[in-house]
Amino acid sequence: MFPILFKLISLVPWFLLVGISRIFAYIMMAFNSSQYRVTINNINHCFGENKSLIKKSFFRTAELIFEYPYVWGRPNNYKKLIEKDSAEFNFINEKKPILLFSMHMGCVDTMLFLMSEKLKNLNIIYTPAKNQNLEKITKRIRESKGANMITADSFGIKELYRKFFLGQNIIMASDLVPHKNGIYSEWFGKECLCVDLVEKLSNKGTHALYFVYFSKGTNRKYKFNCKKVESPMSVDKMNEYFEHAIMESPELYGWEYKKFRKLRGENKNIY
């Protein structure tokens, strides 16, 4: 069922899927969906009331409902979603193995397909889907360009360290709230629990460290951005990179994610 659905969606022109996503967005806003409520809470918490950003951001959230199956059904569709210069980027002059950190700006799998074609022996840290059939299918699709998916659990982290010390390339979206241990830092001046794995790995000094993310490009496409970062890098510094990237295209960030939970003090979350 899932492969057929993905294939059908992948054949629909992208501009038409965007139009359909607008209908979905308005329906979810009208029914005050949980994703919409979380988006409002996050943006108001970070920036104060900003109705314009909330609306633009939620339109992008609705687009992702179709963007993921659009690239799952035909992985090369990702090239239709990025600027031409992005597809031509490479790390050819880098001598060390590479540690990439990224964030949820736009469709994460579009970024992963792009990086999978640019780097051999790329290991991707991810959280598996709860539906086992969906997980099996999407894992196979995500690995179709040569990458290796590693689960973000205790077993997976051990495997990650093994791959890391073998000198293989790593990428992770490190803007999520960690399942277990992490470090408290600030996100737009607000306390949050953050993933500290990039900090730990960058302290080893074995890999070149890069920050990769999407921003708003031309003709509704993503602009790929890549910045080499000095190692080691702290969690606080990582969040500074995230904040600067978000401010380039704030509507692209995944504000529907419950970022401000597992907080210290009396109020454990803002939701």
Side-chain angles (χ1 to χ4, degrees):
M1 175 183 173
F2 285 121
I4 295 174
L5 179 61
F6 296 161
K7 183 62 69 174
L8 289 174
I9 292 176
S10 71
L11 295 173
V12 178
W14 177 241
F15 76 89
L16 185 57
L17 292 176
V18 172
I20 297 172
S21 76
R22 288 289 186 275
I23 299 173
F24 274 68
Y26 280 116
I27 292 173
M28 289 188 287
M29 291 163 68
F31 282 91
N32 198 29
S33 69
S34 60
Q35 295 95 332
Y36 185 51
R37 294 195 304 271
V38 172
T39 298
I40 293 172
N41 286 345
N42 280 336
I43 290 176
N44 288 347
H45 189 59
C46 292
F47 306 117
E49 187 174 350
N50 191 328
K51 293 182 179 180
S52 175
L53 178 56
I54 290 169
K55 186 176 181 180
K56 290 178 181 178
S57 172
F58 202 68
F59 281 165
R60 288 294 304 161
T61 296
E63 285 181 25
L64 293 177
I65 296 173
F66 297 94
E67 190 167 344
Y68 279 98
Y70 182 71
V71 296
W72 288 340
R74 298 178 69 184
N76 279 337
N77 272 355
Y78 89 85
K79 296 178 182 178
K80 300 178 182 180
L81 302 175
I82 60 176
E83 294 182 339
K84 183 179 179 181
D85 290 346
S86 301
E88 295 175 351
F89 177 86
N90 62 70
F91 294 95
I92 193 169
N93 294 320
E94 183 56 64
K95 304 303 181 184
K96 288 184 175 182
I98 294 173
L99 172 61
L100 300 167
F101 67 101
S102 189
M103 60 194 304
H104 289 77
M105 291 281 283
C107 179
V108 173
D109 281 25
T110 298
M111 173 66 76
L112 298 183
F113 285 138
L114 173 63
M115 292 296 95
S116 295
E117 289 196 342
K118 304 304 176 185
L119 291 172
K120 294 181 179 180
N121 297 320
L122 181 63
N123 296 279
I124 301 171
I125 306 172
Y126 81 114
T127 300
K130 294 180 180 179
N131 183 297
Q132 291 186 357
N133 290 330
L134 178 62
E135 164 59 19
K136 182 179 179 181
I137 294 165
T138 55
K139 183 176 184 291
R140 185 181 71 246
I141 294 170
R142 287 165 167 167
E143 292 182 332
S144 64
K145 292 186 178 295
N148 177 47
M149 306 300 295
I150 298 178
T151 55
D153 53 24
S154 57
F155 175 81
I157 296 303
K158 290 179 182 178
E159 178 66 7
L160 169 72
Y161 271 99
R162 188 181 73 85
K163 299 282 189 178
F164 180 81
F165 287 118
L166 286 174
Q168 296 187 11
N169 301 309
I170 308 286
I171 185 171
M172 68 184 80
S174 52
D175 59 320
L176 301 181
V177 177
H179 296 301
K180 293 183 178 180
N181 299 323
I183 290 179
Y184 284 97
S185 182
E186 288 194 349
W187 184 274
F188 290 101
K190 309 297 183 180
E191 181 185 77
C192 63
L193 183 61
C194 303
V195 171
D196 62 349
L197 186 56
V198 178
E199 177 180 295
K200 290 177 178 177
L201 294 178
S202 70
N203 275 319
K204 305 299 181 182
T206 57
H207 286 56
L209 182 63
Y210 287 85
F211 174 39
V212 292
Y213 65 97
F214 287 138
S215 59
K216 185 178 179 180
T218 57
N219 299 319
R220 298 193 58 79
K221 293 187 177 183
Y222 293 127
K223 176 184 177 182
F224 174 72
N225 302 271
C226 180
K227 298 180 179 180
K228 190 166 187 178
V229 179
E230 184 178 351
S231 294
M233 181 190 67
S234 67
V235 170
D236 291 341
K237 190 65 177 178
M238 178 182 71
N239 283 347
E240 288 181 17
Y241 277 102
F242 288 157
E243 290 176 9
H244 288 138
I246 289 172
M247 293 311 298
E248 291 181 32
S249 307
E251 69 275 14
L252 283 188
Y253 187 65
W255 295 108
E256 77 283 357
Y257 174 72
K258 292 183 178 181
K259 176 72 176 176
F260 298 100
R261 54 192 174 88
K262 296 186 180 180
L263 304 178
R264 295 179 291 191
E266 185 175 346
N267 296 321
K268 299 301 181 184
N269 66 74
I270 67 169
Y271 312 105

